[in-house]
Amino acid sequence: MAVQVDTKVEAIRAQLPAVQSTVYLNTGTNGPLPRSVHQAMSELALEEFETGRINMAGWMKKAELKPKARALLASAFRVQPSEIALTQLTTEGMNVLIHGIDWQRGDEAIITNLEHPGGQLPLYVVARRAGVQLRLADLGIGDGDVAGKIERLITRRTRAVVLSHLAWNTGALLPLKEIVDVCRRHGVLVLVDAAQSAGSVDLDLHDLDPDGYAMPGQKWLCGPEGTGSLYIREDRLGWFQQTYVNYGSVLYGSTDDVGGFFTPNAGAARFDRIATYFPLIAGQIAAMEWLVNDVGLPWAYDRISRLGKLCHDTLTNIDGVTVITPRDRMAGLVSFNVAGITPDALVTALSDRGITTRTIPHPACVRVSTGFYNTEEEIERLGAAIEEIMRDHANAGS
Amino acid sequence: MAVQVDTKVEAIRAQLPAVQSTVYLNTGTNGPLPRSVHQAMSELALEEFETGRINMAGWMKKAELKPKARALLASAFRVQPSEIALTQLTTEGMNVLIHGIDWQRGDEAIITNLEHPGGQLPLYVVARRAGVQLRLADLGIGDGDVAGKIERLITRRTRAVVLSHLAWNTGALLPLKEIVDVCRRHGVLVLVDAAQSAGSVDLDLHDLDPDGYAMPGQKWLCGPEGTGSLYIREDRLGWFQQTYVNYGSVLYGSTDDVGGFFTPNAGAARFDRIATYFPLIAGQIAAMEWLVNDVGLPWAYDRISRLGKLCHDTLTNIDGVTVITPRDRMAGLVSFNVAGITPDALVTALSDRGITTRTIPHPACVRVSTGFYNTEEEIERLGAAIEEIMRDHANAGS
């Protein structure tokens, strides 16, 4: 059995050149690109170069790409294709959601202390432009009674909560279903930054039932940079207005140019990206097909989680290492610090040893991402490298 | 001399495989991609695939791309790099400009009858969401006293005029400087859709002095789909608010997460695209370098204009062809109709003869784009093909 798993992991790694040149522990920034993704993108790019971007045959072919990507994403997250918008990154989804609300001066929004700029900044913009009052929910590292902490900040003026499903900094997987239940009772929208959960956590979006769920394509889903998706349940599409639009955002032929009337496109496609370099969509499709057909999403989720726990345990067992991530609420992100060594110095020292991780600014720490293509041996190497760095550091200081 | 020009045109065409498989008369939709653009994109895509997208060396290299693209674009349009935002397409620039205004209920905006959905739709969205009243300036085909027609619609509540520099449908090059003069006198912003002028018309943006000028990368500038730029004069940056934002939109370290305070990034970069597939920027750079160093922008502008006029004359001289484009106000777009043949039928018949053009919905017509890489012989072929189609049509009908 162990041999079978190793064989499978080896076969997967053979499709990912990027994981062969380094111990690749930063999928949380960008995942490695599978061979089939690079190939699909290269083929379409070559075709556009050689035959041009103005011929009917090319357009007919490219017209099939977005529906196909939408269907694959919808299936992976157990929703309808009409509930998936194709975006360019998580941050775009958050912008669509946050700017999609017709805020009134004096409205309130809750944001947590664990958010990424992708969720923070669009909210800060509407705070300034629309006079929205922000309430900061201090969730600590994301453990404890998260839903309760949020609920205590809800007032009659609260319109939305902006939060991550899986915190990019502490690695905590927040109890989203419970949070949604609380917010729904108060009529508060839940707008989710899913940058770290999409592709690393088994998702049933109808069951979790957030009002908006903004996902990336280039991290755990191993797609191109410049791809992502956004889930909005079909019967809640009308709760969000369109902001940035192009000709594809509206129903064909629906505009009245005298008065500026128009009808939005059907389904979540009304919130689609307004710019498309088509090889990106070909790559997004290839990534989803590879994950579903060759890797297997359930297997990937399970392996990410098991390697994450292994990493957590490995680091916890090293004297002088403090792991921040709550072990009972995590997936594939592990954040930690080493006594006496700054995160910058540690990331550099690990990089010198062929191990790629990253620093996090708040809380200042080092973050490891365990991808389904990582190996148990790589986690061991990480632990050994940290011990070595600590020894070197102690010797240098003595 | 004629031989020299032909040699130059042949050398240019050798760099553009797409113009070799068809008579390429639709640069107004997408230009042909030069070899160096495809190569720059392919090289970076391969590097990202092989070495990953999380290593410091890669980031350092990619960090140089946007400043380089910005500098090239600024130089081409005779402005400062700090006045150029890197966008993904014209429509994104129009969205940035139009959503960037803090509209008040009852404000008015003027839009012309010649606009593309890229300018129309964001304005229709703010009309609906912010209660902005639209005034439609009927400019006919774009000839006559355009500035006067616009001025007559200006009231005390008028905040902005949305219009194209070069109309995508009739091919008319509007007298932008005159329009800007009129609007400035009334304190009205001029927001320009430059989809067809950027790269086809010699531009001195400080001299023309629009308040915002949204340009594409993939048409006359021969860059990748998913690239564009937006000019806003430095001392008017504050007239526009940020809407869609990401971490690059703000000054590093400037956010106060308790209250949602932040400081925009310096210069027009605050309005940069929020999603970047870096090979696109490498392609945008390669396209501008090719245009500036190998083609020569002044030569290209002159040739586009001369071929446009030649096309206008060739078509005008055919009995039964009605050219819509005003000959004294044009560049490289020529719109026309053939008596008794629908635009769809004509475009198809031309395509059957190896000539790529396109239809325009309003006014219903066929549009030809004359690129600097087209030849006089191709314009002759177009004329001959139309005459042949007309003969066939007459015979079929008799």
Side-chain angles (χ1 to χ4, degrees):
Chain A
M1 187 63 187
V3 172
Q4 280 180 320
V5 169
D6 285 352
T7 307
K8 175 160 183 175
V9 172
E10 279 316 306
I12 285 169
R13 290 173 63 84
Q15 298 303 312
L16 304 169
V19 307
Q20 290 158 32
S21 56
T22 183
V23 176
Y24 197 111
L25 296 174
N26 191 11
T27 294
T29 293
N30 283 315
L33 285 171
R35 211 168 284 280
S36 60
V37 171
H38 179 67
Q39 194 176 324
M41 294 174 73
S42 300
E43 277 172 12
L44 184 50
L46 182 64
E47 193 176 317
E48 290 194 327
F49 167 59
E50 285 180 344
T51 68
R53 304 172 292 180
I54 56 166
N55 62 84
M56 192 51 71
W59 275 319
M60 304 269 284
K61 192 172 152 183
K62 285 186 273 192
E64 293 170 7
L65 295 177
K66 286 184 185 174
K68 194 168 177 183
R70 211 183 303 278
L72 282 162
L73 290 158
S75 167
F77 306 123
R78 300 175 195 158
V79 298
Q80 297 303 311
S82 54
E83 297 174 317
I84 293 288
L86 298 175
T87 60
Q88 305 183 89
L89 77 170
T90 311
T91 299
E92 186 182 23
M94 296 307 292
N95 273 280
V96 167
L97 293 171
I98 291 168
H99 287 292
I101 296 174
D102 269 333
W103 299 97
Q104 305 300 313
R105 193 158 293 276
D107 280 349
E108 294 177 9
I110 297 170
I111 186 165
T112 90
N113 66 313
L114 298 174
E115 300 317 309
H116 184 273
Q120 292 173 319
L121 292 173
L123 193 63
Y124 295 0
V125 165
V126 301
R128 176 186 151 93
R129 294 187 61 175
V132 172
Q133 191 69 34
L134 303 188
R135 303 272 172 241
L136 185 67
D138 185 350
L139 306 181
I141 59 165
D143 56 350
D145 180 20
V146 166
K149 286 175 184 165
I150 289 170
E151 186 169 25
R152 282 196 284 281
L153 295 176
I154 294 176
T155 74
R156 286 202 198 171
R157 295 304 304 264
T158 308
R159 296 202 48 193
V161 173
V162 170
L163 87 175
S164 298
H165 192 178
L166 202 168
W168 74 298
N169 36 26
T170 70
L173 181 66
L174 301 188
L176 183 57
K177 203 171 151 68
E178 195 187 333
I179 295 166
V180 168
D181 283 346
V182 162
C183 289
R184 184 113 331 124
R185 278 205 304 277
H186 294 278
V188 171
L189 298 176
V190 180
L191 312 181
V192 182
D193 177 333
Q196 298 299 340
S197 49
S200 82
V201 176
D202 195 3
L203 294 173
D204 181 332
L205 290 179
H206 279 168
D207 181 59
L208 287 168
D209 207 22
D211 297 292
Y213 197 82
M215 298 179 276
Q218 84 285 10
K219 297 178 188 286
W220 302 88
L221 294 173
C222 298
E225 266 191 293
T227 62
S229 60
L230 168 65
Y231 161 75
I232 301 177
R233 212 179 73 179
E234 192 146 31
D235 59 358
R236 294 188 197 131
L237 280 173
W239 299 8
F240 299 93
Q241 304 292 315
Q242 293 170 292
T243 308
Y244 281 15
V245 284
N246 76 350
Y247 63 88
S249 313
V250 303
L251 212 58
Y252 184 77
S254 76
T255 58
D256 167 42
D257 298 339
V258 178
F261 293 84
F262 67 97
T263 303
N265 203 341
R270 68 186 60 183
F271 298 117
D272 272 5
R273 55 193 304 151
I274 62 167
T276 301
Y277 172 62
F278 280 95
L280 293 179
I281 312 295
Q284 191 172 24
I285 290 169
M288 291 308 296
E289 286 181 335
W290 184 69
L291 287 174
V292 170
N293 301 331
D294 295 5
V295 176
L297 281 172
W299 180 87
Y301 297 139
D302 180 63
R303 185 164 171 84
I304 288 165
S305 168
R306 281 191 298 108
L307 288 174
K309 288 272 198 302
L310 175 65
C311 180
H312 196 291
D313 294 342
T314 301
L315 297 178
T316 302
N317 286 335
I318 302 173
D319 252 3
V321 172
T322 308
V323 178
I324 293 166
T325 307
R327 194 182 186 283
D328 59 334
R329 274 189 193 168
M330 63 173 287
L333 292 186
V334 185
S335 297
F336 65 99
N337 271 306
V338 172
I341 307 182
T342 66
D344 269 331
L346 187 58
V347 165
T348 302
L350 286 169
S351 174
D352 291 344
R353 285 161 179 80
I355 300 172
T356 304
T357 61
R358 66 159 289 174
T359 58
I360 293 290
H362 305 291
C365 62
V366 175
R367 190 188 75 189
V368 165
S369 312
T370 57
F372 56 80
Y373 42 79
N374 285 123
T375 65
E376 287 76 0
E377 187 263 337
E378 286 181 317
I379 306 298
E380 275 171 44
R381 267 186 70 183
L382 170 70
I386 289 172
E387 288 179 313
E388 187 183 288
I389 292 163
M390 292 172 77
R391 274 196 304 274
D392 289 358
H393 187 76
N395 292 340
S398 67
Chain B
M1 187 64 188
V3 172
Q4 280 181 321
V5 169
D6 285 352
T7 308
K8 175 160 184 176
V9 172
E10 279 316 306
I12 285 169
R13 290 174 63 85
Q15 298 304 311
L16 304 169
V19 307
Q20 290 157 32
S21 56
T22 183
V23 175
Y24 197 110
L25 296 174
N26 192 10
T27 293
T29 292
N30 283 315
L33 285 171
R35 213 168 282 282
S36 61
V37 171
H38 179 68
Q39 194 176 325
M41 294 174 73
S42 300
E43 278 172 11
L44 184 50
L46 182 64
E47 193 176 317
E48 290 194 327
F49 168 59
E50 285 180 343
T51 67
R53 303 172 293 180
I54 56 166
N55 61 83
M56 192 50 71
W59 275 319
M60 304 270 283
K61 192 172 151 184
K62 285 186 274 193
E64 294 170 7
L65 295 178
K66 286 184 185 173
K68 193 167 177 184
R70 210 183 303 278
L72 282 162
L73 290 158
S75 167
F77 306 123
R78 300 175 194 157
V79 298
Q80 297 303 311
S82 54
E83 298 174 316
I84 294 287
L86 298 175
T87 60
Q88 305 183 88
L89 77 170
T90 311
T91 299
E92 186 182 24
M94 295 308 291
N95 273 279
V96 167
L97 293 171
I98 291 169
H99 287 292
I101 295 174
D102 269 332
W103 299 97
Q104 305 300 313
R105 192 158 293 276
D107 280 349
E108 294 177 9
I110 297 170
I111 185 165
T112 90
N113 65 313
L114 298 174
E115 301 316 309
H116 184 274
Q120 292 173 319
L121 292 172
L123 193 63
Y124 295 180
V125 165
V126 301
R128 177 187 151 94
R129 294 187 60 175
V132 172
Q133 190 70 35
L134 303 188
R135 302 273 171 242
L136 185 67
D138 185 350
L139 306 181
I141 59 166
D143 56 350
D145 181 20
V146 166
K149 287 175 184 165
I150 289 170
E151 186 169 25
R152 281 196 284 282
L153 294 176
I154 294 176
T155 74
R156 287 200 197 172
R157 295 304 304 265
T158 308
R159 296 202 49 194
V161 173
V162 170
L163 87 175
S164 298
H165 191 178
L166 202 167
W168 75 297
N169 36 25
T170 70
L173 181 66
L174 301 189
L176 183 56
K177 202 170 152 69
E178 195 188 333
I179 295 166
V180 168
D181 283 346
V182 161
C183 289
R184 185 116 326 126
R185 279 205 304 275
H186 294 277
V188 171
L189 298 176
V190 180
L191 312 181
V192 182
D193 177 333
Q196 298 299 341
S197 49
S200 82
V201 176
D202 194 4
L203 294 173
D204 181 332
L205 291 179
H206 278 167
D207 181 59
L208 287 168
D209 207 22
D211 298 292
Y213 198 81
M215 298 179 276
Q218 85 286 9
K219 297 178 188 288
W220 302 88
L221 294 173
C222 298
E225 265 191 294
T227 62
S229 60
L230 168 65
Y231 161 75
I232 301 177
R233 212 178 74 179
E234 192 146 30
D235 59 359
R236 295 189 196 130
L237 281 172
W239 299 8
F240 299 93
Q241 304 292 316
Q242 293 169 292
T243 307
Y244 282 15
V245 284
N246 76 350
Y247 63 88
S249 313
V250 303
L251 212 59
Y252 185 76
S254 76
T255 58
D256 168 42
D257 298 338
V258 179
F261 293 85
F262 67 97
T263 303
N265 203 342
R270 69 186 59 182
F271 298 117
D272 272 5
R273 56 193 303 151
I274 63 167
T276 301
Y277 172 62
F278 280 96
L280 293 179
I281 312 296
Q284 191 173 23
I285 290 169
M288 290 309 296
E289 286 181 335
W290 184 69
L291 287 175
V292 170
N293 301 331
D294 295 6
V295 176
L297 281 172
W299 181 86
Y301 297 138
D302 180 63
R303 184 164 172 83
I304 288 166
S305 168
R306 281 191 299 108
L307 288 175
K309 288 272 199 301
L310 175 65
C311 180
H312 196 292
D313 295 343
T314 301
L315 297 178
T316 302
N317 286 335
I318 302 174
D319 252 3
V321 172
T322 308
V323 178
I324 293 166
T325 307
R327 194 181 186 283
D328 59 334
R329 274 188 193 169
M330 63 172 288
L333 292 186
V334 184
S335 297
F336 66 100
N337 271 307
V338 172
I341 307 182
T342 66
D344 270 330
L346 187 57
V347 165
T348 302
L350 286 169
S351 174
D352 291 344
R353 285 160 178 80
I355 300 172
T356 303
T357 61
R358 66 160 289 175
T359 58
I360 293 290
H362 305 291
C365 62
V366 175
R367 190 188 74 189
V368 165
S369 312
T370 57
F372 56 80
Y373 41 79
N374 285 123
T375 65
E376 287 76 0
E377 187 263 338
E378 286 181 317
I379 306 298
E380 275 170 45
R381 268 186 69 183
L382 171 70
I386 289 172
E387 288 179 313
E388 186 184 288
I389 292 163
M390 291 172 77
R391 274 195 304 274
D392 289 358
H393 186 76
N395 292 340
S398 66

